[in-house]
Amino acid sequence: MASSFPSTFPSSEQVSSLLKNQSTVVNGASSGVADAPFYRAIGDEVEVFRAAARRGLPVLLKGPTGCGKTRFVEAMAHELGRELITVAGHEDMTSADLVGRFLLKGGETVWVDGPLTRAVREGAIFYLDEVVEARQDTTVVIHPLADHRRELPVDRLGTTLRAAPGFQLVISYNPGYQSVLKNLKESTRQRFIAIELGYPSPEIETEVVAHEAGIDTETASALVKLAYAIRNLDGSPLREVSSTRMLILAGGLAAEGLNLRSAVHAAVVEVLSDDDDVIRALDELVNTVLPQ
């Protein structure tokens, strides 16, 4: 398997200078808040999200697995001072899972708000992750919230809720998973503004991996170099490539004292494929790219 990847990666000194005195970074500016989610902007996504939040516009995030979509939403919710309510889409999800249902409690039937209804009432950010995994007849419930109405019909209560100030709807999906059966309807897409996220530059990705995994920048840079090699394989049989999330997991194992190649084998190679031939080829690539 042939590969190509950037010949220049950031030095330890370059990344260390970026990490210095930072707890979380959004668009290059440190918030100085110890418990804030760490996020490094790769484009104008922060400015676009801020503008959308000011107008109460719904946001569609699209990008590959493990590129930082969820972390981006967490960082923006923290910056805006909004509660974040997250739901992972799945094929068995019903509208009741989002809106709410009647339940028996102590011999009485009581209404329990679903996560979407709670976000609407409280003015929170509601994040529906991997929206295409949910059935299309379920996701249409978000349509009235994603246009000028900003309303949520709750049929079982016979009422319609107006979204509280601060409410914002955010959904995400991986375009690489789209198919005839799993696609985002145009009637849904056109209600949102879209932000595309990808894997960051080697410099930024090295910074993120070093910070999140708690490893030195030299090790983080080696992991990122390997990721670029895997992402640029010619004729790759892989359905997915090495994500930033995978690198952080591998770095975390290395931070616990595991040999780096063993860490990569467990967190990257074995995760990417079950095929013995592919695994052997990836291990050969790892041995070529990673330092002895």
Side-chain angles (χ1 to χ4, degrees):
M1 294 188 291
S3 65
S4 61
F5 46 89
S7 58
T8 58
F9 280 77
S11 66
S12 299
E13 291 75 13
Q14 287 175 311
V15 178
S16 294
S17 67
L18 288 170
L19 286 169
K20 187 178 180 181
N21 296 325
Q22 292 183 343
S23 55
T24 187
V25 182
V26 175
N27 203 33
S30 173
S31 73
V33 181
D35 60 350
F38 182 88
Y39 180 79
R40 284 286 280 120
I42 60 175
D44 64 353
E45 67 268 26
V46 172
E47 290 81 2
V48 173
F49 195 100
R50 287 172 180 158
R54 289 194 293 269
R55 299 286 293 189
L57 299 176
V59 174
L60 163 63
L61 301 178
K62 53 183 182 177
T65 300
C67 72
K69 297 186 294 293
T70 299
R71 176 56 63 91
F72 172 61
V73 179
E74 292 172 346
M76 295 310 302
H78 184 275
E79 178 187 301
L80 296 169
R82 308 262 181 87
E83 181 184 2
L84 176 63
I85 298 175
T86 299
V87 173
H90 57 86
E91 60 184 9
D92 295 322
M93 177 183 290
T94 67
S95 59
D97 293 325
L98 298 177
V99 178
R101 51 171 52 91
F102 286 103
L103 296 176
L104 282 174
K105 287 189 175 182
E108 297 182 349
T109 302
V110 297
W111 172 261
V112 178
D113 281 346
L116 178 58
T117 302
R118 185 160 67 87
V120 167
R121 292 187 193 274
E122 299 175 4
I125 294 177
F126 179 78
Y127 177 42
L128 179 56
D129 190 19
E130 297 299 345
V131 62
V132 295
E133 295 297 325
R135 299 201 312 258
Q136 292 182 345
D137 61 342
T138 298
T139 55
V140 294
V141 73
I142 68 177
H143 283 186
L145 285 168
D147 57 29
H148 66 282
R149 291 170 290 178
R150 288 175 59 82
E151 295 177 342
L152 176 64
V154 185
D155 295 337
R156 296 187 182 186
L157 294 180
T159 188
T160 297
L161 300 177
R162 291 279 298 175
F167 171 80
Q168 188 175 16
L169 181 62
V170 182
I171 64 176
S172 73
Y173 78 106
N174 179 350
Y177 283 162
Q178 286 196 100
S179 67
V180 174
L181 297 177
K182 288 187 176 181
N183 201 351
L184 199 58
K185 294 176 63 175
E186 287 298 324
S187 59
T188 301
R189 292 175 66 101
Q190 294 183 17
R191 287 171 159 82
F192 290 77
I193 64 160
I195 297 175
E196 183 172 9
L197 298 176
Y199 298 122
S201 67
E203 182 177 85
I204 291 178
E205 192 164 25
T206 299
E207 177 190 355
V208 171
V209 173
H211 180 277
E212 293 292 283
I215 56 177
D216 61 82
T217 53
E218 183 178 354
T219 302
S221 181
L223 288 171
V224 171
K225 187 175 182 179
L226 173 64
Y228 268 80
I230 294 175
R231 292 168 193 167
N232 290 290
L233 286 171
D234 292 333
S236 173
L238 300 174
R239 292 183 65 249
E240 287 285 352
V241 295
S242 182
S243 67
T244 305
R245 179 190 297 138
M246 283 183 176
L247 302 185
I248 292 170
L249 293 175
L253 293 177
E256 294 300 322
L258 189 63
N259 175 276
L260 185 59
R261 292 185 179 183
S262 295
V264 168
H265 182 83
V268 178
V269 173
E270 289 286 353
V271 176
L272 287 176
S273 180
D274 294 323
D275 185 278
D276 290 340
D277 291 335
V278 174
I279 290 173
R280 278 194 295 270
L282 288 174
D283 277 332
E284 290 176 5
L285 180 62
V286 169
N287 292 336
T288 300
V289 175
L290 291 186
Q292 294 291 333

